[in-house]
Coordinates of all heavy atoms in Angstrom, one line a residue:
R23 N 3.3 19.9 102.5 CA 2.0 20.1 101.7 C 2.3 20.0 100.2 O 1.4 20.1 99.4 CB 1.4 21.4 102.0 CG 1.0 21.6 103.4 CD 0.0 20.7 103.9 NE -1.2 20.8 103.0 CZ -2.4 20.6 103.3 NH1 -2.7 20.2 104.5 NH2 -3.4 20.7 102.5
G24 N 3.6 19.8 99.8 CA 4.0 19.7 98.4 C 4.1 21.0 97.7 O 4.1 21.0 96.4
L25 N 4.1 22.1 98.4 CA 4.2 23.4 97.7 C 5.7 23.8 97.5 O 6.0 24.6 96.7 CB 3.5 24.5 98.6 CG 2.0 24.3 98.6 CD1 1.4 25.2 99.6 CD2 1.4 24.6 97.2
L26 N 6.6 23.3 98.3 CA 8.0 23.7 98.3 C 8.7 22.3 98.0 O 8.5 21.4 98.7 CB 8.4 24.3 99.6 CG 9.8 25.0 99.6 CD1 9.8 26.1 98.6 CD2 10.0 25.5 101.0
Q41 N 14.5 30.2 92.6 CA 13.1 29.8 92.1 C 12.3 29.5 93.4 O 11.1 29.8 93.4 CB 13.2 28.6 91.2 CG 11.9 28.1 90.7 CD 11.1 29.1 89.9 OE1 11.6 30.1 89.4 NE2 9.8 28.8 89.6
R44 N 11.1 32.6 94.9 CA 9.9 33.1 94.1 C 8.6 32.5 94.5 O 7.6 33.1 94.6 CB 10.2 33.0 92.6 CG 11.2 33.9 92.0 CD 11.3 33.8 90.5 NE 10.0 34.3 89.9 CZ 9.5 33.8 88.8 NH1 10.0 32.8 88.2 NH2 8.4 34.3 88.3
L45 N 8.7 31.1 94.6 CA 7.5 30.4 95.0 C 7.0 30.9 96.4 O 5.8 31.1 96.6 CB 7.8 28.9 95.1 CG 8.2 28.1 93.8 CD1 8.5 26.7 94.1 CD2 7.1 28.2 92.8
Q48 N 5.4 34.2 96.2 CA 4.0 34.1 95.7 C 3.1 33.6 96.7 O 2.0 34.2 96.9 CB 4.1 33.2 94.5 CG 2.7 33.0 93.8 CD 2.3 34.1 92.9 OE1 2.8 34.3 91.9 NE2 1.4 35.0 93.4
I49 N 3.4 32.6 97.4 CA 2.6 32.1 98.5 C 2.3 33.1 99.5 O 1.1 33.3 99.9 CB 3.2 30.8 99.1 CG1 3.3 29.7 98.1 CG2 2.4 30.4 100.4 CD1 4.1 28.5 98.6
L52 N -0.1 36.0 98.3 CA -1.5 35.5 98.2 C -2.1 35.4 99.6 O -3.2 35.7 99.8 CB -1.6 34.2 97.4 CG -1.3 34.4 95.9 CD1 -1.1 33.0 95.2 CD2 -2.3 35.2 95.2
L59 N -3.9 28.5 102.0 CA -2.7 27.8 101.5 C -3.0 27.0 100.2 O -2.3 27.0 99.2 CB -2.1 27.0 102.6 CG -0.7 26.4 102.2 CD1 0.3 27.5 101.9 CD2 -0.2 25.6 103.4
E60 N -4.1 26.2 100.2 CA -4.4 25.4 99.1 C -4.8 26.2 97.9 O -4.6 25.8 96.7 CB -5.5 24.4 99.4 CG -5.1 23.2 100.1 CD -3.9 22.4 99.5 OE1 -4.0 22.1 98.2 OE2 -2.9 22.2 100.1
E61 N -5.3 27.4 98.1 CA -5.6 28.3 97.0 C -4.4 28.8 96.3 O -4.4 29.2 95.1 CB -6.5 29.5 97.4 CG -7.9 29.1 97.9 CD -8.6 30.3 98.4 OE1 -8.1 31.0 99.3 OE2 -9.8 30.5 98.0
T62 N -3.2 28.7 96.9 CA -2.0 29.2 96.3 C -1.4 28.1 95.3 O -0.5 28.4 94.5 CB -0.9 29.5 97.3 OG1 -0.4 28.4 98.0 CG2 -1.4 30.5 98.4
R63 N -1.8 26.9 95.5 CA -1.2 25.8 94.7 C -1.2 26.0 93.2 O -0.2 25.9 92.6 CB -2.0 24.5 95.0 CG -1.3 23.3 94.4 CD -1.9 22.0 94.9 NE -1.8 21.8 96.3 CZ -0.8 21.4 97.0 NH1 0.4 21.1 96.4 NH2 -0.8 21.3 98.3
P64 N -2.3 26.5 92.5 CA -2.2 26.7 91.1 C -1.2 27.8 90.7 O -0.5 27.7 89.7 CB -3.6 27.2 90.7 CG -4.5 26.7 91.8 CD -3.7 26.7 93.0
F65 N -1.0 28.8 91.6 CA 0.0 29.8 91.3 C 1.4 29.2 91.4 O 2.3 29.5 90.6 CB -0.2 31.0 92.3 CG -1.5 31.6 92.2 CD1 -2.6 31.2 92.9 CD2 -1.7 32.8 91.4 CE1 -3.8 31.8 92.8 CE2 -2.9 33.4 91.3 CZ -4.0 32.9 92.0
V66 N 1.7 28.4 92.4 CA 2.9 27.7 92.6 C 3.2 26.8 91.4 O 4.3 26.8 90.8 CB 3.0 27.0 93.9 CG1 4.2 26.1 94.0 CG2 3.0 27.9 95.1
E67 N 2.2 26.0 91.0 CA 2.4 25.1 89.9 C 2.7 25.9 88.6 O 3.4 25.4 87.7 CB 1.2 24.2 89.8 CG 1.1 23.2 90.9 CD -0.2 22.4 90.9 OE1 -1.1 22.7 90.1 OE2 -0.3 21.5 91.8
C68 N 2.1 27.0 88.4 CA 2.3 27.9 87.2 C 3.7 28.3 87.2 O 4.4 28.3 86.1 CB 1.3 29.0 87.3 SG 1.2 30.0 85.7
L69 N 4.2 28.8 88.3 CA 5.6 29.2 88.4 C 6.6 28.0 88.1 O 7.6 28.2 87.4 CB 6.0 29.8 89.7 CG 5.5 31.2 90.0 CD1 5.7 31.6 91.4 CD2 6.1 32.2 89.0
R70 N 6.3 26.9 88.7 CA 7.1 25.7 88.5 C 7.1 25.3 87.0 O 8.1 24.7 86.6 CB 6.6 24.5 89.3 CG 7.0 24.6 90.8 CD 6.7 23.3 91.4 NE 7.0 23.3 92.8 CZ 6.4 22.6 93.7 NH1 5.4 21.7 93.4 NH2 6.8 22.6 95.0
A71 N 6.0 25.5 86.3 CA 5.9 25.2 84.9 C 6.8 26.1 84.0 O 6.9 25.9 82.8 CB 4.5 25.2 84.4
G72 N 7.4 27.1 84.7 CA 8.3 28.0 83.9 C 7.6 29.3 83.5 O 8.3 30.1 82.8
H73 N 6.4 29.6 83.9 CA 5.8 30.9 83.5 C 6.4 32.0 84.3 O 6.8 31.8 85.5 CB 4.3 30.8 83.7 CG 3.6 29.8 82.9 ND1 3.2 30.1 81.6 CD2 3.3 28.5 83.1 CE1 2.7 29.0 81.0 NE2 2.7 28.0 81.9
P74 N 6.5 33.2 83.7 CA 7.1 34.3 84.4 C 6.4 34.8 85.6 O 6.9 35.3 86.6 CB 7.3 35.4 83.4 CG 6.2 35.0 82.3 CD 6.1 33.5 82.4
E75 N 5.1 34.6 85.6 CA 4.2 35.0 86.7 C 3.3 33.8 87.1 O 2.9 33.0 86.3 CB 3.3 36.2 86.3 CG 4.0 37.4 85.8 CD 4.8 38.1 86.9 OE1 4.4 38.0 88.1 OE2 5.8 38.7 86.6
G76 N 3.0 33.8 88.4 CA 2.2 32.6 88.9 C 0.7 32.7 88.6 O 0.0 31.8 88.7
D77 N 0.3 33.9 88.1 CA -1.1 34.0 87.7 C -1.3 34.1 86.2 O -2.4 34.6 85.8 CB -1.7 35.3 88.4 CG -1.0 36.6 88.1 OD1 -0.1 36.6 87.2 OD2 -1.3 37.6 88.7
S78 N -0.4 33.5 85.5 CA -0.6 33.6 84.0 C -1.2 32.3 83.5 O -1.4 32.1 82.3 CB 0.7 33.9 83.3 OG 1.7 32.9 83.6
C79 N -1.6 31.3 84.3 CA -2.2 30.1 83.9 C -3.7 30.1 84.2 O -4.2 30.7 85.1 CB -1.5 28.9 84.7 SG 0.2 28.7 84.4
P80 N -4.4 29.3 83.4 CA -5.9 29.3 83.6 C -6.3 28.9 85.0 O -7.3 29.4 85.5 CB -6.3 28.2 82.5 CG -5.3 28.3 81.5 CD -4.0 28.5 82.2
A81 N -5.6 27.9 85.6 CA -6.1 27.5 87.0 C -5.9 28.7 88.0 O -6.7 28.8 88.9 CB -5.2 26.3 87.4
S82 N -4.9 29.5 87.8 CA -4.7 30.6 88.7 C -5.8 31.6 88.5 O -6.3 32.2 89.5 CB -3.3 31.3 88.4 OG -2.3 30.3 88.6
V85 N -8.9 30.6 90.3 CA -8.8 30.9 91.7 C -9.1 32.4 92.0 O -9.8 32.7 92.9 CB -7.4 30.5 92.3 CG1 -7.3 31.0 93.7 CG2 -7.2 29.0 92.2

Side-chain angles (χ1 to χ4, degrees):
R23 302 297 304 211
L25 292 168
L26 192 62
Q41 177 66 12
R44 285 186 69 214
L45 296 177
Q48 179 76 75
I49 292 168
L52 292 168
L59 189 58
E60 280 305 309
E61 291 175 310
T62 69
R63 189 173 299 282
F65 298 86
V66 169
E67 290 172 356
C68 191
L69 285 172
R70 279 190 184 156
H73 296 275
E75 301 294 329
D77 58 6
S78 59
C79 296
S82 302
V85 172

